[in-house]
Amino acid sequence: MVSQESSPIPVFLPRVAERARFAAEKMQKVDCVETERLLVGLNCFEPGQSQKIHEHAGADKFYLILSGRAKVVVGDEARDVGAGDLVFAPAGVVHGVETAYERTIMLVGMTRDT
Amino acid sequence: MVSQESSPIPVFLPRVAERARFAAEKMQKVDCVETERLLVGLNCFEPGQSQKIHEHAGADKFYLILSGRAKVVVGDEARDVGAGDLVFAPAGVVHGVETAYERTIMLVGMTRDT
């Protein structure tokens, strides 16, 4: 642990995908590291779940697919992605997950809105 | 591709670990996505290679180990890490890779120095 501001930030997060949580109602977000500069977390989808198209005006974001398979949208492009694929959504560009084909875990890294 | 500033930024980077490059002399860095806010890249180690202890005064950084096994240092703590482990190095905290035990690829995400 490293103290930063009021709450301790975890430094070593072994097998981070094991922090994934799933719910029948909708995709789940699990925050792993959160600072004033950076957010690292998991986006967790059951088959058929989605993340609606949205954008972050002042923040860059990327997804690294850890497991599963899904259709991801960035700008006007939609692509099927799977484990080991990286997707980058620059600030101001719409992005989202159209559907997960199976149970899918994505690591998400995002700068904070400036 | 999404145009940002002068150079196009890649949006879909399939099987990002395949971009890894290795060299006998020292660990290699491969930049994958670079903006004014965020750097995403690979750190690539042959067995026995290291990354010297350093810090970023105004930037948060994390490593996600994609493959291999290494001893990583953050602050005063050293730990053996392997595929799927996440390591977070907050701004101002020293960190580095003491040694790679085998060929090792880490995905690195880092905010830009502010």
Side-chain angles (χ1 to χ4, degrees), chain A residues 9-104:
Chain A
I9 311 279
V11 164
F12 290 97
L13 301 91
R15 298 174 300 281
V16 68
E18 293 182 7
R19 296 172 179 239
R21 285 194 315 262
F22 299 90
E25 315 88 75
K26 61 172 186 173
M27 60 84 67
Q28 298 291 297
K29 295 182 181 181
V30 178
D31 291 347
C32 296
V33 173
E34 197 172 355
T35 75
E36 63 192 39
R37 301 176 188 84
L38 178 70
L39 173 67
V40 182
L42 300 174
N43 285 183
C44 312
F45 301 84
E46 291 283 23
Q49 291 183 339
S50 61
Q51 180 183 51
K52 75 173 179 190
I53 305 294
H54 63 290
E55 65 178 282
H56 306 282
D60 289 334
K61 176 174 169 183
F62 72 90
Y63 303 89
L64 178 73
I65 289 76
L66 298 181
S67 62
R69 192 147 188 84
K71 178 172 285 189
V72 172
V73 177
V74 180
D76 56 5
E77 196 170 357
R79 287 239 207 144
D80 288 347
V81 297
D85 294 346
L86 185 83
V87 181
F88 177 60
V93 175
V94 295
H95 59 278
V97 178
E98 194 172 299
T99 191
Y101 299 115
E102 55 190 81
R103 184 173 268 207
T104 297

Coordinates of all heavy atoms in Angstrom, one line a residue, chain A residues 9-104:
Chain A
I9 N -3.8 3.4 -1.6 CA -3.9 2.9 -3.0 C -3.2 1.6 -3.0 O -2.1 1.5 -2.7 CB -3.2 3.9 -4.0 CG1 -3.6 5.3 -3.7 CG2 -3.5 3.4 -5.4 CD1 -5.0 5.7 -4.3
P10 N -3.9 0.5 -3.5 CA -3.2 -0.7 -3.7 C -2.1 -0.7 -4.7 O -2.3 0.0 -5.7 CB -4.3 -1.7 -4.1 CG -5.3 -0.9 -4.8 CD -5.3 0.5 -4.1
V11 N -1.0 -1.3 -4.5 CA 0.1 -1.3 -5.4 C 0.3 -2.6 -6.1 O 0.4 -2.6 -7.3 CB 1.4 -0.9 -4.6 CG1 2.7 -1.3 -5.4 CG2 1.4 0.5 -4.2
F12 N 0.1 -3.7 -5.4 CA 0.2 -5.0 -6.1 C -1.2 -5.6 -6.1 O -1.8 -5.8 -5.0 CB 1.2 -5.9 -5.3 CG 2.6 -5.5 -5.5 CD1 3.2 -4.7 -4.5 CD2 3.3 -5.8 -6.6 CE1 4.6 -4.3 -4.6 CE2 4.7 -5.4 -6.8 CZ 5.3 -4.7 -5.8
L13 N -1.7 -5.9 -7.3 CA -3.0 -6.5 -7.4 C -2.9 -7.8 -8.2 O -3.0 -7.8 -9.4 CB -4.0 -5.5 -8.2 CG -4.2 -4.1 -7.5 CD1 -3.2 -3.1 -8.0 CD2 -5.6 -3.6 -7.8
P14 N -2.6 -8.9 -7.5 CA -2.4 -10.1 -8.2 C -3.6 -10.6 -8.9 O -4.7 -10.4 -8.4 CB -2.0 -11.1 -7.1 CG -1.7 -10.2 -5.9 CD -2.5 -9.0 -6.0
R15 N -3.5 -11.3 -10.0 CA -4.6 -11.8 -10.8 C -5.8 -10.9 -10.8 O -6.9 -11.2 -10.3 CB -4.9 -13.2 -10.3 CG -3.8 -14.2 -10.3 CD -4.1 -15.5 -9.7 NE -4.4 -15.4 -8.2 CZ -3.5 -15.2 -7.3 NH1 -2.2 -15.2 -7.6 NH2 -3.8 -15.0 -6.0
V16 N -5.6 -9.8 -11.4 CA -6.6 -8.7 -11.3 C -7.9 -9.1 -11.9 O -9.0 -8.7 -11.4 CB -6.0 -7.4 -12.0 CG1 -5.9 -7.5 -13.5 CG2 -6.9 -6.2 -11.6
A17 N -8.0 -10.0 -12.8 CA -9.2 -10.4 -13.4 C -10.1 -11.1 -12.4 O -11.3 -11.2 -12.6 CB -9.0 -11.3 -14.6
E18 N -9.5 -11.7 -11.4 CA -10.3 -12.4 -10.3 C -11.2 -11.4 -9.5 O -12.1 -11.8 -8.8 CB -9.4 -13.2 -9.4 CG -8.8 -14.4 -10.1 CD -7.9 -15.2 -9.2 OE1 -7.9 -15.0 -8.0 OE2 -7.2 -16.1 -9.8
R19 N -10.9 -10.1 -9.7 CA -11.8 -9.1 -9.0 C -13.1 -8.9 -9.8 O -14.0 -8.1 -9.4 CB -11.0 -7.8 -8.9 CG -9.8 -7.9 -8.0 CD -8.9 -6.6 -8.1 NE -7.8 -6.8 -7.2 CZ -7.5 -6.0 -6.1 NH1 -8.3 -4.9 -5.9 NH2 -6.5 -6.2 -5.4
A20 N -13.2 -9.5 -11.0 CA -14.5 -9.3 -11.8 C -15.7 -9.7 -11.0 O -15.7 -10.6 -10.2 CB -14.4 -10.1 -13.1
R21 N -16.8 -8.9 -11.2 CA -18.1 -9.2 -10.7 C -19.1 -9.1 -11.8 O -19.0 -8.2 -12.7 CB -18.5 -8.2 -9.6 CG -17.8 -8.3 -8.3 CD -18.6 -7.4 -7.2 NE -18.9 -6.1 -7.8 CZ -18.2 -5.0 -7.5 NH1 -17.2 -5.0 -6.8 NH2 -18.6 -3.8 -8.1
F22 N -20.1 -10.0 -11.8 CA -21.1 -10.0 -12.8 C -22.5 -9.9 -12.2 O -22.7 -10.3 -11.1 CB -21.0 -11.3 -13.6 CG -19.7 -11.5 -14.3 CD1 -18.6 -12.1 -13.6 CD2 -19.5 -11.0 -15.6 CE1 -17.4 -12.3 -14.2 CE2 -18.2 -11.1 -16.2 CZ -17.2 -11.8 -15.5
A23 N -23.4 -9.4 -13.0 CA -24.8 -9.3 -12.5 C -25.7 -9.5 -13.7 O -25.4 -9.1 -14.8 CB -25.1 -7.9 -11.9
A24 N -26.8 -10.1 -13.4 CA -27.8 -10.4 -14.5 C -28.4 -9.2 -15.1 O -28.7 -9.1 -16.3 CB -28.9 -11.3 -14.0
E25 N -28.6 -8.1 -14.3 CA -29.3 -6.9 -14.8 C -28.4 -6.1 -15.9 O -29.0 -5.6 -16.9 CB -29.6 -5.9 -13.7 CG -30.1 -6.5 -12.4 CD -29.0 -7.0 -11.5 OE1 -28.4 -6.1 -10.9 OE2 -28.8 -8.2 -11.4
K26 N -27.1 -6.0 -15.6 CA -26.3 -5.1 -16.5 C -24.9 -5.4 -16.3 O -24.5 -6.0 -15.3 CB -26.7 -3.6 -16.4 CG -26.4 -3.1 -15.0 CD -26.5 -1.6 -14.9 CE -26.1 -1.1 -13.6 NZ -26.1 0.4 -13.5
M27 N -24.0 -4.9 -17.2 CA -22.6 -5.0 -17.0 C -22.1 -4.3 -15.7 O -22.8 -3.4 -15.3 CB -21.9 -4.4 -18.2 CG -22.1 -3.0 -18.5 SD -21.0 -1.8 -17.6 CE -19.4 -2.1 -18.2
Q28 N -21.1 -4.8 -15.2 CA -20.6 -4.3 -13.9 C -19.2 -3.7 -14.1 O -18.4 -4.1 -14.9 CB -20.4 -5.5 -12.9 CG -21.8 -6.2 -12.6 CD -22.7 -5.3 -11.8 OE1 -22.4 -4.9 -10.6 NE2 -23.8 -4.9 -12.4
K29 N -19.0 -2.6 -13.3 CA -17.7 -1.9 -13.3 C -17.1 -2.1 -11.9 O -17.7 -2.0 -10.9 CB -17.9 -0.4 -13.5 CG -18.4 -0.1 -14.9 CD -18.5 1.4 -15.0 CE -19.0 1.8 -16.4 NZ -19.1 3.3 -16.6
V30 N -15.8 -2.5 -11.9 CA -15.1 -2.7 -10.7 C -13.8 -1.8 -10.7 O -13.0 -2.0 -11.6 CB -14.6 -4.2 -10.6 CG1 -13.8 -4.4 -9.3 CG2 -15.8 -5.2 -10.6
D31 N -13.8 -0.8 -9.8 CA -12.7 0.1 -9.8 C -11.5 -0.6 -9.1 O -11.7 -1.2 -8.0 CB -13.0 1.4 -9.0 CG -14.0 2.2 -9.8 OD1 -14.2 1.9 -11.0 OD2 -14.5 3.2 -9.2
C32 N -10.3 -0.6 -9.6 CA -9.2 -1.2 -9.0 C -8.2 -0.2 -8.5 O -7.7 -0.4 -7.4 CB -8.5 -2.1 -10.1 SG -9.5 -3.5 -10.6
V33 N -7.9 0.8 -9.2 CA -7.0 1.9 -8.8 C -7.6 3.2 -9.2 O -8.0 3.4 -10.4 CB -5.6 1.8 -9.5 CG1 -4.8 3.0 -9.2 CG2 -4.9 0.5 -9.1
E34 N -7.7 4.2 -8.3 CA -8.3 5.4 -8.6 C -7.5 6.5 -8.0 O -7.3 6.6 -6.8 CB -9.7 5.5 -8.1 CG -10.6 6.5 -8.7 CD -12.1 6.4 -8.3 OE1 -12.4 5.5 -7.7 OE2 -12.8 7.3 -8.7
T35 N -7.0 7.4 -8.8 CA -6.3 8.6 -8.3 C -6.8 9.8 -9.0 O -7.8 9.7 -9.8 CB -4.8 8.5 -8.6 OG1 -4.5 8.8 -10.0 CG2 -4.2 7.2 -8.3
E36 N -6.3 11.0 -8.7 CA -6.7 12.2 -9.4 C -6.3 12.2 -10.9 O -6.8 13.0 -11.6 CB -6.2 13.4 -8.7 CG -4.7 13.6 -8.7 CD -4.1 14.6 -7.8 OE1 -4.7 14.7 -6.7 OE2 -3.2 15.3 -8.2
R37 N -5.4 11.3 -11.3 CA -4.9 11.3 -12.7 C -5.4 10.2 -13.5 O -5.5 10.2 -14.7 CB -3.4 11.3 -12.7 CG -2.7 12.4 -12.0 CD -1.2 12.1 -12.0 NE -0.6 13.1 -11.2 CZ -0.4 13.0 -9.8 NH1 -0.8 11.9 -9.2 NH2 0.2 14.0 -9.2
L38 N -5.7 9.0 -12.8 CA -5.9 7.7 -13.5 C -7.0 6.9 -12.9 O -7.0 6.9 -11.6 CB -4.6 7.0 -13.5 CG -4.5 5.6 -14.2 CD1 -4.6 5.7 -15.7 CD2 -3.2 4.9 -13.8
L39 N -7.7 6.2 -13.7 CA -8.6 5.2 -13.2 C -8.3 3.9 -13.9 O -8.3 3.8 -15.1 CB -10.1 5.6 -13.5 CG -11.2 4.5 -13.1 CD1 -11.2 4.3 -11.6 CD2 -12.5 5.0 -13.7
V40 N -8.1 2.8 -13.1 CA -7.9 1.5 -13.7 C -9.0 0.6 -13.1 O -9.2 0.6 -11.9 CB -6.5 0.9 -13.4 CG1 -6.4 -0.5 -14.1 CG2 -5.4 1.8 -13.9
G41 N -9.7 -0.1 -14.0 CA -10.8 -0.9 -13.4 C -11.1 -2.1 -14.4 O -10.4 -2.3 -15.4
L42 N -12.2 -2.8 -14.1 CA -12.6 -3.9 -14.9 C -14.1 -3.6 -15.4 O -14.9 -3.0 -14.6 CB -12.7 -5.2 -14.1 CG -11.3 -5.7 -13.6 CD1 -11.5 -6.9 -12.7 CD2 -10.3 -6.0 -14.7
N43 N -14.3 -3.9 -16.6 CA -15.7 -3.9 -17.1 C -16.1 -5.3 -17.4 O -15.4 -6.0 -18.1 CB -15.8 -3.1 -18.4 CG -15.8 -1.5 -18.3 OD1 -15.9 -0.8 -19.2 ND2 -15.5 -1.1 -17.0
C44 N -17.2 -5.7 -16.8 CA -17.5 -7.2 -16.7 C -18.9 -7.4 -17.4 O -19.9 -6.8 -16.9 CB -17.6 -7.6 -15.3 SG -16.1 -7.1 -14.4
F45 N -19.0 -8.2 -18.4 CA -20.2 -8.4 -19.2 C -20.6 -9.9 -19.2 O -19.8 -10.8 -19.4 CB -19.9 -8.0 -20.6 CG -19.5 -6.6 -20.9 CD1 -18.1 -6.3 -20.8 CD2 -20.4 -5.6 -21.2 CE1 -17.7 -5.0 -21.0 CE2 -20.0 -4.3 -21.4 CZ -18.6 -4.0 -21.3
E46 N -21.9 -10.1 -18.9 CA -22.5 -11.4 -19.2 C -22.8 -11.4 -20.7 O -22.9 -10.3 -21.3 CB -23.7 -11.6 -18.4 CG -23.5 -11.8 -16.9 CD -22.9 -13.2 -16.5 OE1 -22.4 -13.8 -17.4 OE2 -23.1 -13.6 -15.4
P47 N -23.0 -12.6 -21.3 CA -23.4 -12.7 -22.7 C -24.6 -11.8 -23.0 O -25.6 -11.8 -22.2 CB -23.7 -14.1 -22.9 CG -23.0 -14.9 -21.8 CD -22.9 -13.9 -20.7
G48 N -24.5 -11.0 -24.1 CA -25.7 -10.1 -24.5 C -25.7 -8.8 -23.8 O -26.4 -7.9 -24.2
Q49 N -24.8 -8.6 -22.8 CA -24.8 -7.3 -22.1 C -24.0 -6.3 -23.0 O -23.1 -6.6 -23.8 CB -24.3 -7.4 -20.7 CG -25.3 -8.1 -19.8 CD -24.8 -8.2 -18.4 OE1 -23.6 -8.1 -18.1 NE2 -25.8 -8.4 -17.5
S50 N -24.3 -5.0 -22.7 CA -23.6 -3.9 -23.5 C -23.2 -2.8 -22.6 O -23.6 -2.7 -21.5 CB -24.6 -3.4 -24.6 OG -25.8 -2.9 -24.0
Q51 N -22.5 -1.9 -23.2 CA -22.2 -0.6 -22.6 C -22.6 0.5 -23.6 O -22.0 0.5 -24.7 CB -20.7 -0.5 -22.3 CG -20.3 0.8 -21.6 CD -18.8 0.9 -21.4 OE1 -18.0 0.7 -22.3 NE2 -18.4 1.2 -20.2
K52 N -23.5 1.4 -23.2 CA -24.0 2.3 -24.2 C -22.9 3.2 -24.7 O -21.9 3.5 -24.0 CB -25.2 3.0 -23.7 CG -24.9 4.1 -22.7 CD -26.2 4.9 -22.4 CE -25.9 6.0 -21.4 NZ -27.0 6.6 -20.8
I53 N -23.1 3.6 -25.9 CA -22.1 4.5 -26.6 C -22.1 5.9 -25.8 O -23.1 6.4 -25.6 CB -22.6 4.8 -28.1 CG1 -22.8 3.4 -28.8 CG2 -21.6 5.7 -28.8 CD1 -21.6 2.6 -29.0
H54 N -20.9 6.3 -25.5 CA -20.7 7.5 -24.8 C -19.4 8.1 -25.1 O -18.6 7.5 -25.9 CB -20.8 7.2 -23.3 CG -19.7 6.3 -22.7 ND1 -19.7 5.0 -23.0 CD2 -18.7 6.6 -21.9 CE1 -18.6 4.5 -22.4 NE2 -18.0 5.4 -21.8
E55 N -19.0 9.2 -24.6 CA -17.7 9.8 -24.8 C -17.3 10.6 -23.5 O -18.1 10.9 -22.7 CB -17.7 10.7 -26.0 CG -18.6 12.0 -25.8 CD -18.5 12.9 -27.0 OE1 -17.5 13.6 -27.2 OE2 -19.4 12.9 -27.8
H56 N -16.0 10.8 -23.5 CA -15.4 11.5 -22.4 C -14.7 12.7 -23.0 O -13.7 12.5 -23.8 CB -14.4 10.7 -21.6 CG -15.0 9.4 -21.1 ND1 -15.8 9.4 -20.0 CD2 -14.9 8.2 -21.5 CE1 -16.2 8.1 -19.8 NE2 -15.6 7.4 -20.7
A57 N -15.2 13.9 -22.7 CA -14.7 15.1 -23.5 C -13.2 15.3 -23.3 O -12.5 15.6 -24.2 CB -15.5 16.3 -23.0
G58 N -12.7 15.1 -22.0 CA -11.3 15.4 -21.8 C -10.5 14.3 -21.3 O -9.4 14.5 -20.7
A59 N -10.9 13.0 -21.5 CA -10.2 11.9 -21.0 C -10.0 10.8 -22.1 O -10.9 10.5 -22.8 CB -11.0 11.3 -19.8
D60 N -8.8 10.3 -22.1 CA -8.4 9.2 -23.0 C -8.7 7.9 -22.3 O -8.5 7.8 -21.0 CB -7.0 9.2 -23.4 CG -6.6 10.4 -24.4 OD1 -7.6 10.8 -25.1 OD2 -5.5 10.8 -24.4
K61 N -9.1 6.9 -23.0 CA -9.4 5.6 -22.4 C -9.0 4.4 -23.2 O -9.0 4.6 -24.5 CB -11.0 5.6 -22.2 CG -11.6 4.3 -21.7 CD -13.1 4.6 -21.5 CE -13.9 3.4 -21.2 NZ -15.4 3.7 -21.2
F62 N -8.6 3.4 -22.6 CA -8.4 2.2 -23.4 C -9.0 1.0 -22.7 O -9.1 0.9 -21.5 CB -6.9 2.0 -23.8 CG -6.1 1.5 -22.6 CD1 -5.9 0.2 -22.3 CD2 -5.4 2.4 -21.8 CE1 -5.1 -0.3 -21.2 CE2 -4.7 2.0 -20.7 CZ -4.5 0.7 -20.4
Y63 N -9.3 0.0 -23.5 CA -9.8 -1.3 -23.1 C -8.7 -2.4 -23.5 O -8.3 -2.4 -24.6 CB -11.1 -1.8 -23.7 CG -12.3 -0.9 -23.7 CD1 -12.5 0.1 -24.6 CD2 -13.2 -1.1 -22.7 CE1 -13.7 0.9 -24.6 CE2 -14.4 -0.3 -22.6 CZ -14.6 0.7 -23.6 OH -15.8 1.4 -23.5
L64 N -8.3 -3.2 -22.6 CA -7.6 -4.4 -22.9 C -8.5 -5.6 -22.6 O -8.9 -5.8 -21.4 CB -6.3 -4.6 -22.1 CG -5.5 -5.8 -22.5 CD1 -4.9 -5.8 -23.8 CD2 -4.5 -6.1 -21.4
I65 N -8.9 -6.4 -23.6 CA -9.8 -7.5 -23.4 C -9.0 -8.6 -22.7 O -7.9 -9.1 -23.2 CB -10.4 -8.0 -24.7 CG1 -11.4 -6.9 -25.2 CG2 -11.2 -9.3 -24.4 CD1 -10.9 -5.7 -25.8
L66 N -9.4 -9.0 -21.5 CA -8.7 -10.0 -20.7 C -9.2 -11.4 -21.0 O -8.5 -12.4 -21.0 CB -8.8 -9.7 -19.2 CG -8.2 -8.4 -18.7 CD1 -8.3 -8.3 -17.2 CD2 -6.7 -8.3 -19.1
S67 N -10.5 -11.5 -21.2 CA -11.2 -12.8 -21.6 C -12.5 -12.5 -22.2 O -13.1 -11.5 -22.0 CB -11.3 -13.7 -20.3 OG -12.2 -13.1 -19.4
G68 N -13.0 -13.5 -23.0 CA -14.3 -13.4 -23.7 C -14.2 -12.8 -25.1 O -13.1 -12.8 -25.7
R69 N -15.3 -12.3 -25.5 CA -15.4 -11.9 -26.9 C -16.6 -10.9 -27.0 O -17.7 -11.2 -26.5 CB -15.7 -13.1 -27.8 CG -15.5 -12.8 -29.3 CD -14.9 -14.0 -30.1 NE -14.7 -13.5 -31.4 CZ -13.5 -12.9 -31.8 NH1 -12.6 -12.7 -30.9 NH2 -13.4 -12.4 -33.0
A70 N -16.4 -9.8 -27.7 CA -17.4 -8.7 -27.7 C -17.3 -7.9 -29.0 O -16.2 -7.9 -29.6 CB -17.3 -7.9 -26.5
K71 N -18.4 -7.2 -29.3 CA -18.3 -6.2 -30.4 C -18.2 -4.8 -29.8 O -19.0 -4.4 -29.0 CB -19.5 -6.2 -31.3 CG -19.5 -5.2 -32.4 CD -20.6 -5.4 -33.4 CE -20.4 -6.5 -34.3 NZ -21.3 -6.6 -35.4
V72 N -17.1 -4.1 -30.1 CA -16.8 -2.8 -29.5 C -16.9 -1.8 -30.6 O -16.5 -2.0 -31.8 CB -15.3 -2.8 -28.9 CG1 -14.9 -1.4 -28.5 CG2 -15.3 -3.8 -27.7
V73 N -17.3 -0.6 -30.2 CA -17.5 0.5 -31.2 C -16.6 1.7 -30.7 O -16.6 2.0 -29.6 CB -19.0 1.0 -31.2 CG1 -19.1 2.2 -32.1 CG2 -19.9 -0.1 -31.6
V74 N -15.9 2.2 -31.7 CA -15.1 3.5 -31.5 C -15.3 4.4 -32.7 O -15.0 3.9 -33.8 CB -13.6 3.2 -31.2 CG1 -12.9 4.6 -31.0 CG2 -13.4 2.3 -30.1
G75 N -15.8 5.5 -32.5 CA -16.1 6.4 -33.6 C -17.1 5.7 -34.5 O -18.2 5.3 -34.0
D76 N -16.9 5.6 -35.8 CA -17.8 5.0 -36.7 C -17.4 3.6 -37.0 O -17.9 3.0 -38.0 CB -18.0 5.8 -38.0 CG -16.7 6.1 -38.7 OD1 -15.7 5.5 -38.2 OD2 -16.7 6.8 -39.6
E77 N -16.5 3.0 -36.2 CA -16.1 1.6 -36.5 C -16.5 0.7 -35.4 O -16.3 1.0 -34.2 CB -14.5 1.7 -36.6 CG -14.0 0.4 -37.3 CD -12.5 0.5 -37.7 OE1 -11.9 1.6 -37.4 OE2 -11.9 -0.5 -38.2
A78 N -17.0 -0.5 -35.8 CA -17.3 -1.6 -34.9 C -16.5 -2.8 -35.2 O -16.3 -3.1 -36.4 CB -18.8 -1.9 -35.0
R79 N -15.9 -3.4 -34.2 CA -15.1 -4.6 -34.4 C -15.3 -5.6 -33.3 O -15.5 -5.3 -32.2 CB -13.6 -4.2 -34.3 CG -13.2 -3.4 -35.5 CD -12.0 -4.1 -36.2 NE -11.2 -3.1 -36.9 CZ -9.9 -3.1 -37.0 NH1 -9.2 -4.1 -36.5 NH2 -9.3 -2.2 -37.6
D80 N -15.2 -6.9 -33.8 CA -15.2 -8.0 -32.8 C -13.8 -8.1 -32.2 O -12.8 -8.0 -32.9 CB -15.5 -9.3 -33.5 CG -17.0 -9.4 -33.9 OD1 -17.8 -8.5 -33.4 OD2 -17.4 -10.3 -34.7
V81 N -13.8 -8.2 -30.9 CA -12.5 -8.2 -30.2 C -12.5 -9.4 -29.2 O -13.6 -9.9 -28.8 CB -12.2 -6.9 -29.4 CG1 -12.0 -5.7 -30.3 CG2 -13.3 -6.6 -28.4
G82 N -11.3 -9.8 -28.8 CA -11.1 -11.0 -27.9 C -9.9 -10.8 -27.1 O -9.2 -9.7 -27.1
A83 N -9.6 -11.8 -26.3 CA -8.5 -11.7 -25.3 C -7.2 -11.3 -26.0 O -6.8 -11.8 -27.0 CB -8.3 -13.1 -24.6
G84 N -6.6 -10.3 -25.3 CA -5.3 -9.8 -25.8 C -5.4 -8.6 -26.8 O -4.4 -8.0 -27.1
D85 N -6.6 -8.2 -27.2 CA -6.8 -7.1 -28.1 C -6.9 -5.8 -27.2 O -7.5 -5.8 -26.2 CB -8.1 -7.2 -28.9 CG -8.0 -8.4 -29.9 OD1 -6.9 -8.9 -30.1 OD2 -9.1 -8.8 -30.4
L86 N -6.4 -4.7 -27.8 CA -6.4 -3.4 -27.1 C -7.3 -2.5 -28.0 O -7.2 -2.5 -29.2 CB -5.0 -2.9 -27.0 CG -4.8 -1.6 -26.2 CD1 -4.8 -1.8 -24.7 CD2 -3.6 -0.8 -26.7
V87 N -8.1 -1.7 -27.3 CA -8.9 -0.7 -28.0 C -8.7 0.6 -27.4 O -8.8 0.7 -26.1 CB -10.4 -1.1 -27.9 CG1 -11.3 -0.1 -28.7 CG2 -10.7 -2.5 -28.5
F88 N -8.4 1.6 -28.2 CA -8.2 2.9 -27.7 C -9.3 3.9 -28.1 O -9.7 4.0 -29.2 CB -6.8 3.5 -28.2 CG -6.5 4.9 -27.8 CD1 -6.5 5.2 -26.4 CD2 -6.4 5.9 -28.7 CE1 -6.2 6.5 -26.0 CE2 -6.1 7.2 -28.3 CZ -6.0 7.5 -26.9
A89 N -9.8 4.6 -27.1 CA -10.9 5.6 -27.3 C -10.4 7.0 -26.9 O -10.4 7.3 -25.7 CB -12.2 5.2 -26.6
P90 N -10.0 7.8 -27.8 CA -9.4 9.1 -27.5 C -10.5 10.0 -26.9 O -11.7 9.8 -27.2 CB -8.9 9.6 -28.8 CG -8.9 8.5 -29.8 CD -10.0 7.6 -29.3
A91 N -10.1 11.0 -26.2 CA -11.0 12.0 -25.7 C -11.9 12.5 -26.8 O -11.4 12.8 -27.9 CB -10.2 13.2 -25.0
G92 N -13.2 12.6 -26.5 CA -14.1 13.3 -27.5 C -14.6 12.3 -28.6 O -15.4 12.7 -29.4
V93 N -14.2 11.1 -28.6 CA -14.6 10.1 -29.6 C -15.6 9.1 -28.9 O -15.3 8.5 -27.9 CB -13.4 9.3 -30.2 CG1 -13.9 8.3 -31.2 CG2 -12.5 10.3 -30.9
V94 N -16.8 9.0 -29.5 CA -17.8 8.1 -29.0 C -17.3 6.6 -29.0 O -16.6 6.2 -29.9 CB -19.1 8.2 -29.7 CG1 -19.7 9.6 -29.5 CG2 -19.0 7.8 -31.2
H95 N -17.7 5.9 -28.0 CA -17.2 4.5 -27.9 C -18.2 3.7 -26.9 O -18.9 4.3 -26.2 CB -15.8 4.4 -27.3 CG -15.6 5.0 -26.0 ND1 -15.4 6.4 -25.8 CD2 -15.6 4.5 -24.7 CE1 -15.3 6.7 -24.5 NE2 -15.5 5.5 -23.8
G96 N -18.2 2.4 -27.0 CA -19.0 1.6 -26.2 C -18.9 0.1 -26.6 O -18.1 -0.2 -27.5
V97 N -19.7 -0.7 -26.0 CA -19.7 -2.1 -26.3 C -21.1 -2.5 -26.7 O -22.0 -2.4 -26.0 CB -19.3 -2.9 -25.0 CG1 -19.3 -4.4 -25.3 CG2 -17.9 -2.5 -24.5
E98 N -21.1 -2.9 -28.0 CA -22.5 -3.2 -28.6 C -23.0 -4.4 -28.0 O -24.2 -4.5 -27.6 CB -22.3 -3.3 -30.1 CG -23.6 -3.3 -30.8 CD -23.4 -3.3 -32.3 OE1 -22.8 -2.3 -32.8 OE2 -23.8 -4.2 -33.0
T99 N -22.2 -5.4 -27.9 CA -22.7 -6.7 -27.2 C -21.5 -7.5 -26.8 O -20.5 -7.5 -27.5 CB -23.7 -7.5 -28.1 OG1 -24.3 -8.5 -27.3 CG2 -22.9 -8.1 -29.2
A100 N -21.7 -8.3 -25.7 CA -20.7 -9.3 -25.4 C -21.3 -10.7 -25.9 O -22.4 -11.0 -25.7 CB -20.5 -9.4 -23.9
Y101 N -20.4 -11.4 -26.6 CA -20.9 -12.7 -27.2 C -20.8 -13.8 -26.1 O -21.5 -14.8 -26.2 CB -20.0 -13.1 -28.4 CG -20.1 -12.1 -29.5 CD1 -19.0 -11.4 -29.9 CD2 -21.3 -11.9 -30.2 CE1 -19.0 -10.5 -30.9 CE2 -21.3 -11.0 -31.2 CZ -20.2 -10.3 -31.6 OH -20.3 -9.4 -32.7
E102 N -20.0 -13.6 -25.1 CA -19.9 -14.5 -24.0 C -19.5 -13.7 -22.8 O -19.3 -12.5 -22.9 CB -18.8 -15.6 -24.4 CG -17.4 -15.0 -24.7 CD -16.5 -16.0 -25.3 OE1 -16.6 -16.3 -26.5 OE2 -15.6 -16.5 -24.5
R103 N -19.3 -14.4 -21.7 CA -18.8 -13.6 -20.5 C -17.5 -13.0 -20.8 O -16.5 -13.7 -21.3 CB -18.7 -14.6 -19.3 CG -18.3 -14.0 -18.0 CD -18.4 -14.9 -16.8 NE -19.7 -14.9 -16.2 CZ -19.9 -15.2 -14.9 NH1 -18.9 -15.5 -14.1 NH2 -21.1 -15.1 -14.4
T104 N -17.4 -11.7 -20.6 CA -16.2 -11.0 -21.0 C -15.7 -10.0 -20.0 O -16.5 -9.4 -19.3 CB -16.6 -10.1 -22.3 OG1 -17.0 -11.1 -23.4 CG2 -15.4 -9.3 -22.8

